[in-house]
Amino acid sequence: MVRVNLIPDSLVISLARGRRLRRWSTAVGTAMLAALFGLGLDWWRSAEAAALRRQEAQLAEELAGVRTELRTVTTEAELALSQLQRADALRAKRAWSDLLLLVGACLPETSWLTSVGTDPARPAGVQNRPATVAPPTPAAGTAAAQAKTDKQAVTIEAPRKLRLLGYAAQPGEPHAFVTQLKAAEVFTNVTLVGTQREPVRDGSYYRFDVVCEW
């Protein structure tokens, strides 16, 4: 039995070409869809990154404001603490008017003072004590903020000695003066540092140096 091919060659070629065209169109369409998906994903990621950058900038601005407020509050707290410590130190000082009245009452009648002062004449220095204010966290970062954390409150150190210089008409008067000061029980120690006879205008008197401690 003989079979006869009734389909022309041109038709076969056309059908094959159509199949190849469809496969190529499908591949191109798939590639375009993939490209579009990639572009869409990149756009979404870019939009998300931009949103995160805006949020980061806003948080940085808020953090800067909080740091500024913290530095202001810390400075005010340190100033308040310093003023409080100075006030406490001043309140701890003795009532000098009452003290001078006491010294005058103990001084013999024929003696007089030429100088009354603390020993040393002025405090040796100020005493630094750390402020009890919480310092900014290390995240503050700037050198100025770190420098402020190193600040310390200052207090005044009151003198602990009183030096009395004067003259007496009689050699025993400086000792009597020291005895009276000790009897007052105001000072922990009263010392006659020295006494020396010196000429003074209308005669000679006994110059004395007394140190009182408390």
Side-chain angles (χ1 to χ4, degrees), residues 70-142:
L70 178 60
R71 287 194 293 268
T72 301
V73 172
T74 301
T75 302
E76 292 176 353
E78 290 176 351
L79 178 60
L81 180 62
S82 175
Q83 292 175 344
L84 178 61
Q85 291 175 334
R86 287 180 184 274
D88 290 341
L90 290 174
R91 284 196 296 269
K93 288 187 175 182
R94 293 177 175 270
W96 293 106
S97 58
D98 295 340
L99 194 61
L100 293 177
L101 288 175
L102 172 66
V103 171
C106 296
L107 190 67
E109 292 185 0
T110 55
S111 300
W112 70 93
L113 297 176
T114 59
S115 175
V116 177
T118 57
D119 184 17
R122 62 177 58 187
V126 294
Q127 178 182 4
N128 292 333
R129 293 190 298 181
T132 57
V133 180
T137 60
T142 62

Side-chain angles (χ1 to χ4, degrees), residues 3-9 11:
R3 298 183 61 182
V4 180
N5 188 5
L6 300 177
I7 302 175
D9 293 338
L11 181 58

Side-chain angles (χ1 to χ4, degrees), residues 118-203:
T118 57
D119 184 17
R122 62 177 58 187
V126 294
Q127 178 182 4
N128 292 333
R129 293 190 298 181
T132 57
V133 180
T137 60
T142 62
Q146 292 179 357
K148 286 188 177 181
T149 63
D150 296 333
K151 283 188 175 180
Q152 295 178 334
V154 180
T155 58
I156 301 173
E157 185 177 357
R160 308 298 299 175
K161 294 181 181 180
L162 185 68
R163 182 175 291 273
L164 307 173
L165 303 177
Y167 288 91
Q170 303 296 327
E173 290 180 354
H175 296 279
F177 182 37
V178 171
T179 300
Q180 291 294 327
L181 290 173
K182 289 181 178 179
E185 297 182 351
V186 172
F187 305 103
T188 59
N189 188 30
V190 181
T191 305
L192 179 61
V193 178
T195 179
Q196 182 179 357
R197 188 167 184 174
E198 294 182 358
V200 180
R201 294 183 181 178
D202 57 347

